[in-house]
Amino acid sequence: MSPLRVCIVGSGNWGSAIARIIGKNVQKSNRFDPTVKMWVFEEIINGRKLSEIINQEHENVKYLPGYKIPKNQFVGRICEQIAGQIKPGTFGISLIKGIDEGPDGLKLISDLIREKLKIEISVLMGANIAKEVADEKFCETTIGCKNEKQGEIFKELMQTPNFRITVVLDSDTVEICGALKNIVAVGAGFCDGLDFGDNTKAAVIRLGLMEMVAFAKMFCRGPVSIATFLESCGVADLITTCYGGRNRKVAEAFARTGKSIEELENEMLNGQKLQGPQTSAEVHKILKQKNMLDKFPLFTTIYKICYEGQSIQDFIACLQNHPEHI
C-alpha cells in the first residue's frame, strides 16, 4: 500500500500550529508520505509573498510568528482549484471551529466541505489555543468521525505526547460544540467587561453548556451522546474559550468601550474575524423559525446585544430568569 499523502489547506495560526505537529509526525511513520503540502491564501507581508516567506524561512510571520514549520511543507496558491485536484479515495478532516450560513441558518463546515469535494470528512475540536499547541504545552483534543478507521489514521497523524487525541463516533456533536462555545465565550467576555466576577462567569458557562446540549439535540442528525460534551471538544474547550481567546477578549472590549463588533475586529484581530457573534446570528435564525427563542435566553440575548442594539446592561437578566431545564 502506497503511503498516504497529506495536505494542509489553510495557514492561519491554527493551521500553522498543526502543521508543526504533522510535519514532524509524517517523518516518524511509514504510513505517510514524508512531504506535506500546505495551501495558503496569499498575502503580501513587508513587500514579500507570505507563501515565499514560509517556503524559504519556514515560519508564518503573520499568524504564528516565532515558530518554525518543518521544512517538508510546500505552499501553493491553488485553493480555488482544489475540487478538481482531488483523487478518488481522498478523505479529510476539518479543524475549523465555526459554521457557515445555510438557507435555514447554521450549516456545518464539514457538510460544506463534504458537498463541494465529495469526500468523507472527520472533524477535530478541543481546548486547543494555537500558540499553546505551538509551544508544545500539554492539551487534549477530540476527533469526531463517521468512519472509525479514518479517525484512527488522523489520530496517528496528529497525536503527540503533548497533544492527546480521543476519537469518538459522534462527529456532528463534536463540531457543533466547536461552534456554539464561541457564543458562550461572548457572554463570558460581557461578564468580564461588566466586572461581574468569576461566580457570574461560572453561571454563564454552566447555562451556556446547557443550551449547547439542548441545541445539539435539536440540530444534529442521529442520537447525541451526552458523553461527548465531557470530551475536550465540549466542556474543556468551553472553559478555555471563556477564559482566553478572541471571542472573550473582544466581547470584554465591546462591554467596556461601546464600540461595535466590527470596529473591534479591525482594531484587535489582525485581519481575523470573530466567530461568536456570527454563530449567534445563525443559531438565532433556526430558533426563531422553530419558535424556541425563549428556551435559549443566553444565546438569544447575546445575539440581540451584538446585532439589535439591546443594552449590555440587560445581560444579567438572561441569567437571572434562565429556566432550570430546557
Side-chain angles (χ1 to χ4, degrees):
M1 183 177 173
S2 59
L4 296 171
R5 290 190 290 175
V6 181
C7 173
I8 300 167
V9 180
S11 59
N13 55 356
W14 186 213
S16 298
I18 212 71
R20 285 169 52 81
I21 291 175
I22 291 174
K24 294 173 183 176
N25 279 359
V26 295
Q27 297 175 75
K28 301 174 185 176
S29 170
N30 292 327
R31 186 192 290 270
F32 306 106
D33 188 297
T35 297
V36 177
K37 295 182 179 181
M38 176 187 274
W39 289 354
V40 58
F41 178 77
E42 192 71 279
E43 298 179 68
I44 302 300
I45 310 295
N46 296 327
R48 296 176 64 195
K49 291 182 178 180
L50 181 57
S51 60
E52 179 184 289
I53 295 170
I54 294 174
N55 272 335
Q56 294 178 1
E57 299 172 16
H58 309 288
E59 179 182 350
N60 189 327
V61 294
K62 180 168 183 180
Y63 294 112
L64 198 71
Y67 298 91
K68 292 295 182 180
I69 299 170
K71 293 184 179 180
N72 52 335
Q73 305 292 329
F74 174 78
V75 182
R77 244 189 114 179
I78 46 178
C79 287
E80 63 272 17
Q81 289 112 26
I82 186 171
Q85 301 296 321
I86 293 177
K87 294 184 178 180
T90 297
F91 53 97
I93 186 166
S94 171
L95 280 67
I96 302 167
K97 292 181 180 177
I99 47 89
D100 191 53
E101 183 177 356
D104 299 315
L106 182 154
K107 184 182 184 69
L108 297 178
I109 296 293
S110 64
D111 284 339
L112 183 70
I113 298 171
R114 197 175 286 114
E115 291 168 10
K116 289 189 175 296
L117 302 187
K118 306 293 189 291
I119 62 175
E120 288 193 69
I121 293 288
S122 300
V123 298
L124 182 147
M125 305 283 155
N128 310 139
I129 294 173
K131 186 178 186 305
E132 294 182 13
V133 173
D135 279 334
E136 299 183 19
K137 294 178 179 177
F138 178 81
C139 66
E140 300 175 308
T141 198
T142 310
I143 287 177
C145 60
K146 302 180 189 300
N147 182 315
E148 190 170 12
K149 181 180 177 182
Q150 291 177 7
E152 292 299 330
I153 289 172
F154 284 122
K155 179 175 180 177
E156 181 181 341
L157 178 66
M158 288 184 274
Q159 181 162 265
T160 73
N162 287 323
F163 192 62
R164 183 177 178 271
I165 296 173
T166 301
V167 178
V168 299
L169 292 170
D170 192 7
S171 61
D172 286 356
T173 306
V174 170
E175 187 169 9
I176 202 70
C177 282
L180 296 180
K181 55 94 182 180
N182 288 321
I183 305 177
V184 186
V186 172
F190 290 168
C191 275
D192 293 338
L194 295 167
D195 295 316
F196 282 160
D198 285 339
N199 290 342
T200 308
K201 188 189 281 193
V204 169
I205 293 171
R206 187 187 76 82
L207 296 171
L209 180 61
M210 203 160 79
E211 293 193 12
M212 286 170 61
V213 172
F215 189 87
K217 286 180 177 178
M218 179 182 70
F219 176 82
C220 293
R221 299 153 296 200
V224 169
S225 172
I226 298 301
T228 301
F229 290 90
L230 300 179
E231 297 290 349
S232 182
C233 64
V235 66
D237 196 12
L238 178 60
I239 291 169
T240 195
T241 309
C242 287
Y243 278 90
R246 71 185 83 150
N247 288 282
R248 188 220 62 80
K249 182 180 179 182
V250 174
E252 179 183 5
F254 178 89
R256 293 194 187 280
T257 67
K259 294 181 179 179
S260 70
I261 293 291
E262 187 176 9
E263 284 179 289
L264 292 167
E265 281 178 336
N266 293 332
E267 290 178 13
M268 301 173 67
L269 296 185
N270 193 29
Q272 296 179 306
K273 302 297 286 184
L274 208 60
Q275 295 161 319
Q278 177 200 350
T279 305
S280 77
E282 302 306 332
V283 165
H284 189 265
K285 286 182 188 176
I286 294 174
L287 296 177
K288 190 173 183 179
Q289 287 170 357
K290 295 182 178 292
N291 197 29
M292 294 185 70
L293 292 174
D294 61 329
K295 301 286 188 182
F296 294 82
L298 182 67
F299 287 176
T300 299
T301 301
I302 289 169
Y303 165 78
K304 288 183 176 179
I305 291 171
C306 289
Y307 291 108
E308 293 189 352
Q310 181 168 326
S311 171
I312 197 165
Q313 302 301 326
D314 295 341
F315 179 67
I316 193 70
C318 78
L319 309 179
Q320 295 168 331
N321 302 319
H322 203 285
E324 292 183 16
H325 306 286
I326 300 178

